[in-house]
Amino acid sequence: MARRAGVPARSLAMVNRHPIAVALQALRQTLLGRDAPPGRPLLARWPRLARYAAPVGLLAALGLFWITLAVESDWGLPTPIAVLFAAMTVAPLLALPRRPLLAWRLTVLALLVCTFNAPADTPGPWTPPLALGSIVVVAVVVARVDRPVLAWLVAITAVPVLTLVRAENRAAVLALLGALAIVGDLIRRNRLSRHALAAQTELSEREQERRAVLEERTRIAREMHDVVAHHMSLIAVQAETAPYRLTDVPAPAAAEFVAIAASARDALTDMRRLLGVLRSESTGPQTAPQPDLTDLNAMVDVARRAGVPVTLDAGPDDGGRVPAPVGLAAYRIVQEGLANAARHAAGAAVRVTVRAGRSSLGVRVQNAPPDDVRARPDTEADAGHGLTGMRERATSLGGTFTAGPLPDGGYAVTAELPYDSESGDR
């Protein structure tokens, strides 16, 4: 059965069951069951006052203890019994904030036990502190329990009233008990309604946020498909057909056209996967294969076919210590570094160094000064989103990232990506 917002599972379990079974379960809950969950503290809206609630409450309980002890002593009870009755009067109030049902049980026990030597002019056999404390406990508890438990709670509380209160006062006490039960049930139902409304409102807001995110993702996917994918398709087609449209194409140039077409097709494949993710309503983890350190050689070969003189120095990943997220981040950093080197230092030699240490992976992409000196960006603001993306990948793993020109006129990006060498994961 689906659990409705704001309704306790215990209440739902009583639905559509035989009335006798419901009554017996409620009786067991009333006498021996788990306590009702504590409500919101009265001073929760005033945290400065809430810090004084505990000491003030203890002082009030101590004062109530001495008042009860004095009253019991005036009634002629021996000191040990007076102390016991005073403790039984105070104990329910101490348990009330955290354990309201336990406080009610202690209250019923006190009403049944603390009944000796009351003067003839008192309406009942209890001291004023015990009578007032019992009213407070019952008023709090009836607002915390569901109706079957509430019915048993009122019936059991009425037992000492019917047996110990004088006949002329029973109707008034029972009327007070009934009024407390009705008001408490109304308060509880109002609280459950407010909780259900708040839960429904929160659910609606989350659904609206989810729909807004999906709409934005769909818009981004549409723009990327209409603009980026279209141009990448044209690049792939033109690169594949260029050797057939041109005459006497040298073999190196033809190979470069082939490499351009292959890179464009790979980019289109990644683009289609990304568009599928953006258009999907699923927010769970993606299970599509992701590149890692083993794909560095293939990426470097593609760069070489595109005319970038690249040297790869990648140490072995002994035992697969580098976890997948770190390997993916390193791959993307090298990919962006090679793209930046080809864009800003065409023809310059590039060296890629990837080393797996005991607890971190070092990545460095360094290019020599280009023959044709161009304005190489020195800051992330000048470099667009490339350097920013690399820095974000490194810092998201708790690593470091640096990028900047070298004294000889070259450029280098360096990242240190930490991981747990024992578990293979951060």
Side-chain angles (χ1 to χ4, degrees), residues 22-74:
V22 174
L24 292 178
Q25 181 178 351
L27 178 60
R28 183 167 55 252
Q29 170 66 24
T30 304
L31 298 178
L32 302 173
R34 297 179 59 182
D35 212 326
R40 184 182 182 185
L42 296 177
L43 300 179
R45 296 183 178 180
W46 302 280
R48 293 185 178 181
L49 297 178
R51 69 181 66 178
Y52 302 107
V56 171
L58 290 177
L59 289 177
L62 183 60
L64 186 63
F65 176 86
W66 286 111
I67 293 174
T68 305
L69 182 60
V71 173
E72 297 285 2
S73 299
D74 291 342

Side-chain angles (χ1 to χ4, degrees), residues 140-193:
V140 172
V141 175
V142 293
R144 305 282 182 86
V145 296
D146 51 24
R147 283 187 172 179
V149 176
L150 174 61
W152 280 111
L153 188 145
V154 173
I156 295 174
T157 306
V159 171
V161 175
L162 293 174
T163 57
L164 300 175
V165 176
R166 292 181 175 85
E168 62 272 16
N169 298 319
R170 288 174 189 169
V173 178
L174 291 176
L176 176 60
L177 180 61
L180 291 176
I182 294 174
V183 173
D185 184 65
L186 292 176
I187 293 175
R188 176 179 174 276
R189 290 176 62 85
N190 180 64
R191 184 175 67 251
L192 292 180
S193 299

Side-chain angles (χ1 to χ4, degrees), residues 57-112:
L58 290 177
L59 289 177
L62 183 60
L64 186 63
F65 176 86
W66 286 111
I67 293 174
T68 305
L69 182 60
V71 173
E72 297 285 2
S73 299
D74 291 342
W75 287 1
L77 290 178
T79 301
I81 298 179
V83 172
L84 175 62
F85 286 3
M88 295 181 67
T89 300
V90 175
L93 297 176
L94 294 177
L96 185 60
R98 297 285 184 178
R99 304 287 300 276
L101 199 55
L102 175 62
W104 171 80
R105 293 165 184 162
L106 295 176
T107 296
V108 173
L109 180 62
L111 292 177
L112 292 173

Side-chain angles (χ1 to χ4, degrees), residues 316-398:
D317 179 17
D318 299 331
R321 290 177 299 173
V322 179
V326 176
L328 174 61
Y331 180 92
R332 295 304 185 192
I333 290 174
V334 173
Q335 185 181 48
E336 183 64 26
L338 289 177
N340 285 348
R343 184 182 307 113
H344 298 286
V350 181
R351 182 176 182 84
V352 177
T353 304
V354 180
R355 293 292 182 183
R358 293 178 57 87
S359 59
S360 64
L361 179 69
V363 181
R364 182 177 177 87
V365 181
Q366 175 180 344
N367 63 267
D371 296 334
D372 182 11
V373 180
R374 301 182 183 183
R376 183 64 187 255
D378 293 336
T379 64
E380 295 185 20
D382 298 330
H385 300 287
L387 293 180
T388 302
M390 289 189 283
R391 183 179 300 278
E392 290 174 349
R393 288 187 181 274
T395 55
S396 66
L397 297 172

Side-chain angles (χ1 to χ4, degrees), residues 113-319:
V113 173
C114 304
T115 58
F116 299 114
N117 295 343
D121 57 346
T122 58
W126 308 298
T127 62
L130 178 56
L132 294 177
S134 301
I135 294 175
V136 172
V137 170
V138 172
V140 172
V141 175
V142 293
R144 305 282 182 86
V145 296
D146 51 24
R147 283 187 172 179
V149 176
L150 174 61
W152 280 111
L153 188 145
V154 173
I156 295 174
T157 306
V159 171
V161 175
L162 293 174
T163 57
L164 300 175
V165 176
R166 292 181 175 85
E168 62 272 16
N169 298 319
R170 288 174 189 169
V173 178
L174 291 176
L176 176 60
L177 180 61
L180 291 176
I182 294 174
V183 173
D185 184 65
L186 292 176
I187 293 175
R188 176 179 174 276
R189 290 176 62 85
N190 180 64
R191 184 175 67 251
L192 292 180
S193 299
R194 288 189 285 107
H195 289 175
L197 179 60
Q200 185 63 35
T201 302
E202 182 181 358
L203 182 62
S204 300
E205 291 177 353
R206 287 201 302 265
E207 182 64 22
Q208 291 177 0
E209 293 175 358
R210 176 176 171 274
R211 292 183 64 86
V213 170
L214 290 177
E215 292 175 359
E216 182 65 15
R217 286 168 56 178
T218 302
R219 186 190 67 80
I220 295 174
R222 183 172 58 251
E223 294 295 331
M224 292 179 65
H225 177 270
D226 293 343
V227 179
V228 182
H230 171 72
H231 291 301
M232 293 302 298
S233 299
L234 291 179
I235 292 173
V237 172
Q238 291 173 348
E240 289 178 342
T241 59
Y244 302 98
R245 291 184 285 106
L246 302 176
T247 58
D248 298 330
V249 178
E256 187 168 345
F257 279 121
V258 172
I260 294 173
S263 298
R265 285 194 298 270
D266 292 340
L268 279 174
T269 300
D270 292 338
M271 181 68 66
R272 292 190 184 98
R273 183 183 301 116
L274 178 59
L275 293 179
V277 172
L278 288 175
R279 290 184 178 276
S280 174
E281 295 187 4
S282 174
T283 57
Q286 302 299 322
T287 58
Q290 296 292 329
D292 54 20
L293 297 181
T294 59
D295 299 309
L296 288 178
N297 287 321
M299 179 174 60
V300 169
D301 290 340
V302 172
R304 288 172 181 156
R305 291 196 299 268
V308 181
V310 185
T311 301
L312 176 62
D313 181 11
D317 179 17
D318 299 331

